[in-house]
PDB file of all heavy atoms in Angstrom:
ATOM      1  N   GLY P 700     -11.545  -0.456  22.806  1.00 78.00           N
ATOM      2  CA  GLY P 700     -10.440  -1.035  22.054  1.00 78.00           C
ATOM      3  C   GLY P 700     -10.936  -1.952  20.965  1.00 78.00           C
ATOM      4  O   GLY P 700     -12.126  -2.260  20.866  1.00 78.00           O
ATOM      5  N   THR P 701     -10.005  -2.402  20.144  1.00 89.00           N
ATOM      6  CA  THR P 701     -10.334  -3.264  19.011  1.00 89.00           C
ATOM      7  C   THR P 701      -9.049  -3.880  18.483  1.00 89.00           C
ATOM      8  O   THR P 701      -7.958  -3.559  18.948  1.00 89.00           O
ATOM      9  CB  THR P 701     -11.035  -2.454  17.901  1.00 89.00           C
ATOM     10  OG1 THR P 701     -11.414  -3.328  16.854  1.00 89.00           O
ATOM     11  CG2 THR P 701     -10.102  -1.401  17.329  1.00 89.00           C
ATOM     12  N   THR P 702      -9.175  -4.750  17.511  1.00 92.00           N
ATOM     13  CA  THR P 702      -8.028  -5.310  16.802  1.00 92.00           C
ATOM     14  C   THR P 702      -8.353  -5.340  15.321  1.00 92.00           C
ATOM     15  O   THR P 702      -9.271  -6.041  14.892  1.00 92.00           O
ATOM     16  CB  THR P 702      -7.703  -6.736  17.279  1.00 92.00           C
ATOM     17  OG1 THR P 702      -7.398  -6.715  18.674  1.00 92.00           O
ATOM     18  CG2 THR P 702      -6.506  -7.286  16.525  1.00 92.00           C
ATOM     19  N   ALA P 716     -10.462  -8.092  11.065  1.00 95.00           N
ATOM     20  CA  ALA P 716     -10.803  -7.362  12.290  1.00 95.00           C
ATOM     21  C   ALA P 716     -11.694  -8.223  13.160  1.00 95.00           C
ATOM     22  O   ALA P 716     -12.367  -9.150  12.672  1.00 95.00           O
ATOM     23  CB  ALA P 716     -11.496  -6.037  11.963  1.00 95.00           C
ATOM     24  N   ASP P 717     -11.702  -7.908  14.454  1.00 94.00           N
ATOM     25  CA  ASP P 717     -12.649  -8.552  15.352  1.00 94.00           C
ATOM     26  C   ASP P 717     -13.988  -7.840  15.242  1.00 94.00           C
ATOM     27  O   ASP P 717     -14.137  -6.863  14.504  1.00 94.00           O
ATOM     28  CB  ASP P 717     -12.123  -8.537  16.782  1.00 94.00           C
ATOM     29  CG  ASP P 717     -12.194  -7.153  17.397  1.00 94.00           C
ATOM     30  OD1 ASP P 717     -11.717  -6.187  16.764  1.00 94.00           O
ATOM     31  OD2 ASP P 717     -12.746  -7.012  18.501  1.00 94.00           O
ATOM     32  N   THR P 718     -14.992  -8.307  15.995  1.00 93.00           N
ATOM     33  CA  THR P 718     -16.344  -7.750  15.870  1.00 93.00           C
ATOM     34  C   THR P 718     -16.897  -7.232  17.191  1.00 93.00           C
ATOM     35  O   THR P 718     -18.092  -6.981  17.286  1.00 93.00           O
ATOM     36  CB  THR P 718     -17.306  -8.809  15.313  1.00 93.00           C
ATOM     37  OG1 THR P 718     -17.362  -9.929  16.224  1.00 93.00           O
ATOM     38  CG2 THR P 718     -16.859  -9.286  13.943  1.00 93.00           C
ATOM     39  N   ARG P 719     -16.070  -7.073  18.208  1.00 89.00           N
ATOM     40  CA  ARG P 719     -16.555  -6.607  19.512  1.00 89.00           C
ATOM     41  C   ARG P 719     -16.436  -5.094  19.605  1.00 89.00           C
ATOM     42  O   ARG P 719     -15.348  -4.538  19.474  1.00 89.00           O
ATOM     43  CB  ARG P 719     -15.771  -7.256  20.648  1.00 89.00           C
ATOM     44  CG  ARG P 719     -16.131  -6.713  22.031  1.00 89.00           C
ATOM     45  CD  ARG P 719     -15.347  -7.396  23.133  1.00 89.00           C
ATOM     46  NE  ARG P 719     -15.737  -8.792  23.268  1.00 89.00           N
ATOM     47  CZ  ARG P 719     -15.181  -9.644  24.126  1.00 89.00           C
ATOM     48  NH1 ARG P 719     -14.167  -9.223  24.896  1.00 89.00           N
ATOM     49  NH2 ARG P 719     -15.594 -10.884  24.196  1.00 89.00           N
ATOM     50  N   SER P 720     -17.572  -4.439  19.872  1.00 85.00           N
ATOM     51  CA  SER P 720     -17.592  -3.001  20.143  1.00 85.00           C
ATOM     52  C   SER P 720     -17.787  -2.820  21.646  1.00 85.00           C
ATOM     53  O   SER P 720     -18.787  -3.258  22.207  1.00 85.00           O
ATOM     54  CB  SER P 720     -18.732  -2.317  19.383  1.00 85.00           C
ATOM     55  OG  SER P 720     -18.496  -2.362  18.001  1.00 85.00           O
ATOM     56  N   CYS P 728     -21.699  -4.235  21.477  1.00 84.00           N
ATOM     57  CA  CYS P 728     -22.186  -5.087  20.384  1.00 84.00           C
ATOM     58  C   CYS P 728     -21.122  -6.132  20.082  1.00 84.00           C
ATOM     59  O   CYS P 728     -19.982  -5.781  19.789  1.00 84.00           O
ATOM     60  CB  CYS P 728     -22.491  -4.254  19.140  1.00 84.00           C
ATOM     61  SG  CYS P 728     -23.085  -5.245  17.740  1.00 84.00           S
ATOM     62  N   PRO P 729     -21.463  -7.425  20.146  1.00 85.00           N
ATOM     63  CA  PRO P 729     -20.463  -8.463  19.857  1.00 85.00           C
ATOM     64  C   PRO P 729     -20.338  -8.806  18.381  1.00 85.00           C
ATOM     65  O   PRO P 729     -19.480  -9.606  18.016  1.00 85.00           O
ATOM     66  CB  PRO P 729     -20.995  -9.664  20.648  1.00 85.00           C
ATOM     67  CG  PRO P 729     -22.471  -9.472  20.643  1.00 85.00           C
ATOM     68  CD  PRO P 729     -22.731  -7.990  20.660  1.00 85.00           C
ATOM     69  N   THR P 730     -21.189  -8.247  17.525  1.00 87.00           N
ATOM     70  CA  THR P 730     -21.199  -8.631  16.111  1.00 87.00           C
ATOM     71  C   THR P 730     -21.108  -7.418  15.189  1.00 87.00           C
ATOM     72  O   THR P 730     -21.699  -7.409  14.109  1.00 87.00           O
ATOM     73  CB  THR P 730     -22.466  -9.438  15.776  1.00 87.00           C
ATOM     74  OG1 THR P 730     -23.625  -8.639  16.093  1.00 87.00           O
ATOM     75  CG2 THR P 730     -22.505 -10.736  16.547  1.00 87.00           C
ATOM     76  N   SER P 731     -20.415  -6.381  15.591  1.00 89.00           N
ATOM     77  CA  SER P 731     -20.300  -5.196  14.749  1.00 89.00           C
ATOM     78  C   SER P 731     -19.321  -5.455  13.604  1.00 89.00           C
ATOM     79  O   SER P 731     -18.448  -6.320  13.693  1.00 89.00           O
ATOM     80  CB  SER P 731     -19.836  -3.996  15.573  1.00 89.00           C
ATOM     81  OG  SER P 731     -18.554  -4.247  16.114  1.00 89.00           O
ATOM     82  N   LYS P 733     -16.338  -3.940  11.465  1.00 93.00           N
ATOM     83  CA  LYS P 733     -15.314  -2.899  11.553  1.00 93.00           C
ATOM     84  C   LYS P 733     -14.540  -2.710  10.251  1.00 93.00           C
ATOM     85  O   LYS P 733     -13.577  -1.957  10.223  1.00 93.00           O
ATOM     86  CB  LYS P 733     -14.338  -3.226  12.685  1.00 93.00           C
ATOM     87  CG  LYS P 733     -15.013  -3.338  14.047  1.00 93.00           C
ATOM     88  CD  LYS P 733     -14.022  -3.659  15.131  1.00 93.00           C
ATOM     89  CE  LYS P 733     -14.719  -3.822  16.477  1.00 93.00           C
ATOM     90  NZ  LYS P 733     -13.776  -4.153  17.558  1.00 93.00           N
ATOM     91  N   VAL P 860      -5.505 -12.169  14.461  1.00 95.00           N
ATOM     92  CA  VAL P 860      -6.648 -11.582  15.169  1.00 95.00           C
ATOM     93  C   VAL P 860      -7.107 -12.495  16.304  1.00 95.00           C
ATOM     94  O   VAL P 860      -7.463 -12.021  17.392  1.00 95.00           O
ATOM     95  CB  VAL P 860      -7.800 -11.303  14.187  1.00 95.00           C
ATOM     96  CG1 VAL P 860      -9.003 -10.728  14.926  1.00 95.00           C
ATOM     97  CG2 VAL P 860      -7.358 -10.338  13.100  1.00 95.00           C
ATOM     98  N   ALA P 863      -4.845 -12.051  19.236  1.00 94.00           N
ATOM     99  CA  ALA P 863      -5.060 -10.747  19.854  1.00 94.00           C
ATOM    100  C   ALA P 863      -6.328 -10.735  20.691  1.00 94.00           C
ATOM    101  O   ALA P 863      -6.355 -10.161  21.784  1.00 94.00           O
ATOM    102  CB  ALA P 863      -5.123  -9.666  18.779  1.00 94.00           C
ATOM    103  N   THR P 864      -7.387 -11.364  20.213  1.00 92.00           N
ATOM    104  CA  THR P 864      -8.630 -11.408  20.994  1.00 92.00           C
ATOM    105  C   THR P 864      -8.460 -12.233  22.271  1.00 92.00           C
ATOM    106  O   THR P 864      -9.140 -11.976  23.267  1.00 92.00           O
ATOM    107  CB  THR P 864      -9.773 -11.998  20.156  1.00 92.00           C
ATOM    108  OG1 THR P 864      -9.403 -13.309  19.698  1.00 92.00           O
ATOM    109  CG2 THR P 864     -10.081 -11.119  18.964  1.00 92.00           C
ATOM    110  N   HIS P 865      -7.561 -13.199  22.236  1.00 92.00           N
ATOM    111  CA  HIS P 865      -7.334 -14.006  23.431  1.00 92.00           C
ATOM    112  C   HIS P 865      -6.603 -13.218  24.516  1.00 92.00           C
ATOM    113  O   HIS P 865      -6.849 -13.420  25.710  1.00 92.00           O
ATOM    114  CB  HIS P 865      -6.531 -15.256  23.062  1.00 92.00           C
ATOM    115  CG  HIS P 865      -6.248 -16.169  24.213  1.00 92.00           C
ATOM    116  ND1 HIS P 865      -7.233 -16.933  24.815  1.00 92.00           N
ATOM    117  CD2 HIS P 865      -5.099 -16.437  24.886  1.00 92.00           C
ATOM    118  CE1 HIS P 865      -6.702 -17.636  25.800  1.00 92.00           C
ATOM    119  NE2 HIS P 865      -5.402 -17.352  25.867  1.00 92.00           N
ATOM    120  N   ASP P 867      -6.285  -9.606  24.528  1.00 87.00           N
ATOM    121  CA  ASP P 867      -6.828  -8.264  24.727  1.00 87.00           C
ATOM    122  C   ASP P 867      -8.278  -8.362  25.180  1.00 87.00           C
ATOM    123  O   ASP P 867      -9.119  -8.946  24.486  1.00 87.00           O
ATOM    124  CB  ASP P 867      -6.727  -7.459  23.433  1.00 87.00           C
ATOM    125  CG  ASP P 867      -7.290  -6.057  23.587  1.00 87.00           C
ATOM    126  OD1 ASP P 867      -7.117  -5.465  24.673  1.00 87.00           O
ATOM    127  OD2 ASP P 867      -7.896  -5.551  22.636  1.00 87.00           O
ATOM    128  N   ALA P 868      -8.601  -7.767  26.333  1.00 83.00           N
ATOM    129  CA  ALA P 868      -9.952  -7.866  26.883  1.00 83.00           C
ATOM    130  C   ALA P 868     -10.973  -7.086  26.075  1.00 83.00           C
ATOM    131  O   ALA P 868     -12.168  -7.396  26.103  1.00 83.00           O
ATOM    132  CB  ALA P 868      -9.964  -7.370  28.330  1.00 83.00           C
ATOM    133  N   TYR P 869     -10.541  -6.062  25.349  1.00 85.00           N
ATOM    134  CA  TYR P 869     -11.470  -5.224  24.596  1.00 85.00           C
ATOM    135  C   TYR P 869     -11.727  -5.749  23.192  1.00 85.00           C
ATOM    136  O   TYR P 869     -12.498  -5.141  22.448  1.00 85.00           O
ATOM    137  CB  TYR P 869     -10.946  -3.789  24.518  1.00 85.00           C
ATOM    138  CG  TYR P 869     -10.845  -3.122  25.864  1.00 85.00           C
ATOM    139  CD1 TYR P 869      -9.615  -2.937  26.477  1.00 85.00           C
ATOM    140  CD2 TYR P 869     -11.985  -2.700  26.539  1.00 85.00           C
ATOM    141  CE1 TYR P 869      -9.524  -2.339  27.724  1.00 85.00           C
ATOM    142  CE2 TYR P 869     -11.907  -2.097  27.777  1.00 85.00           C
ATOM    143  CZ  TYR P 869     -10.667  -1.919  28.370  1.00 85.00           C
ATOM    144  OH  TYR P 869     -10.591  -1.323  29.597  1.00 85.00           O
ATOM    145  N   SER P 870     -11.089  -6.837  22.804  1.00 89.00           N
ATOM    146  CA  SER P 870     -11.299  -7.444  21.486  1.00 89.00           C
ATOM    147  C   SER P 870     -11.934  -8.810  21.669  1.00 89.00           C
ATOM    148  O   SER P 870     -11.677  -9.505  22.656  1.00 89.00           O
ATOM    149  CB  SER P 870      -9.973  -7.584  20.728  1.00 89.00           C
ATOM    150  OG  SER P 870      -9.337  -6.334  20.592  1.00 89.00           O
ATOM    151  N   GLY P 871     -12.751  -9.198  20.719  1.00 89.00           N
ATOM    152  CA  GLY P 871     -13.412 -10.497  20.824  1.00 89.00           C
ATOM    153  C   GLY P 871     -14.500 -10.649  19.789  1.00 89.00           C
ATOM    154  O   GLY P 871     -14.528  -9.968  18.770  1.00 89.00           O
ATOM    155  N   GLY P 872     -15.412 -11.567  20.076  1.00 90.00           N
ATOM    156  CA  GLY P 872     -16.507 -11.829  19.143  1.00 90.00           C
ATOM    157  C   GLY P 872     -16.069 -12.772  18.047  1.00 90.00           C
ATOM    158  O   GLY P 872     -15.736 -13.935  18.299  1.00 90.00           O
ATOM    159  N   SER P 873     -16.051 -12.293  16.822  1.00 92.00           N
ATOM    160  CA  SER P 873     -15.682 -13.094  15.660  1.00 92.00           C
ATOM    161  C   SER P 873     -14.547 -12.410  14.899  1.00 92.00           C
ATOM    162  O   SER P 873     -14.138 -11.301  15.243  1.00 92.00           O
ATOM    163  CB  SER P 873     -16.890 -13.301  14.735  1.00 92.00           C
ATOM    164  OG  SER P 873     -17.964 -13.925  15.429  1.00 92.00           O
ATOM    165  N   VAL P 874     -14.066 -13.091  13.868  1.00 94.00           N
ATOM    166  CA  VAL P 874     -12.987 -12.574  13.026  1.00 94.00           C
ATOM    167  C   VAL P 874     -13.536 -12.415  11.609  1.00 94.00           C
ATOM    168  O   VAL P 874     -13.894 -13.406  10.964  1.00 94.00           O
ATOM    169  CB  VAL P 874     -11.764 -13.507  13.020  1.00 94.00           C
ATOM    170  CG1 VAL P 874     -10.667 -12.934  12.133  1.00 94.00           C
ATOM    171  CG2 VAL P 874     -11.241 -13.712  14.435  1.00 94.00           C
ATOM    172  N   ALA P 892     -14.057 -16.215  17.245  1.00 91.00           N
ATOM    173  CA  ALA P 892     -12.676 -16.038  17.687  1.00 91.00           C
ATOM    174  C   ALA P 892     -12.264 -17.104  18.700  1.00 91.00           C
ATOM    175  O   ALA P 892     -11.141 -17.618  18.644  1.00 91.00           O
ATOM    176  CB  ALA P 892     -12.489 -14.643  18.282  1.00 91.00           C
ATOM    177  N   CYS P 893     -13.146 -17.460  19.627  1.00 91.00           N
ATOM    178  CA  CYS P 893     -12.796 -18.470  20.636  1.00 91.00           C
ATOM    179  C   CYS P 893     -12.593 -19.839  20.006  1.00 91.00           C
ATOM    180  O   CYS P 893     -11.634 -20.549  20.323  1.00 91.00           O
ATOM    181  CB  CYS P 893     -13.887 -18.532  21.704  1.00 91.00           C
ATOM    182  SG  CYS P 893     -14.031 -17.041  22.706  1.00 91.00           S
TER     183      CYS P 893
END
Side-chain angles (χ1 to χ4, degrees):
T701 184
T702 300
D717 73 309
T718 61
R719 174 179 292 178
S720 293
C728 179
T730 58
S731 62
K733 301 180 182 179
V860 179
T864 57
H865 180 71
D867 180 36
Y869 297 105
S870 303
S873 302
V874 180
C893 294

